[in-house]
Amino acid sequence: MRRFLDTLYGAAGLLAGFCTIGVLVSVLAAILARQFEWNIPGTDAYAGYFMAAAGFLSLASTFKHGEHIRVTLLLNSLKPGASRGLDIFALAAGVLLAAAFAFFSVKLTLDSHTFNDVSTSNDATPLWIPQLSMAIGTVLFFIALVDELVRRIRGHAAPTSQQTYE
């Protein structure tokens, strides 16, 4: 199970990297098109879609590699038992918030598909397509938080940016 989850987080992170390249390609295409007085509809919108996808798809991977901001000043000043309890409490609160975020992201995507919502820009992209990356990213982030909560309850240390999972 550990290998599967780490592979899942890594695949989402890799896909986020490709989306970052998509931002670059979209912006370069828009710049070149303007230089040659061409019109490529939707390049600005697609750059935004790729940027949002990169952000959401990278949530789980960056969290599991200890790259999210953690305020450890209070945790480090407490005794180990109290620090562990506060850390578990914070993770449990994060799980609840991530569950709500994931639920409403999936609901938004399904609603956009059901009601055939399209982008108001000149590309007229069905909105469920770019929203799908948000839904997947938030669901994966929820899974990563649950995974980390279980690990912390079992006594594992918090991930650091230099640490990799075995």
Side-chain angles (χ1 to χ4, degrees), residues 66-71:
E67 299 293 337
H68 283 207
I69 296 172
R70 262 176 76 83
V71 181

Side-chain angles (χ1 to χ4, degrees), residues 4-53:
F4 171 75
L5 288 174
D6 288 342
T7 301
L8 190 62
Y9 306 144
L14 184 65
L15 191 55
F18 285 126
C19 289
T20 303
I21 293 169
V23 173
L24 173 69
V25 170
S26 296
V27 170
L28 284 176
I31 291 170
L32 289 173
R34 285 186 193 112
Q35 292 300 314
F36 293 107
E37 297 180 9
W38 298 335
N39 179 29
I40 303 176
T43 52
D44 294 339
Y46 283 105
Y49 300 153
F50 281 125
M51 189 178 299

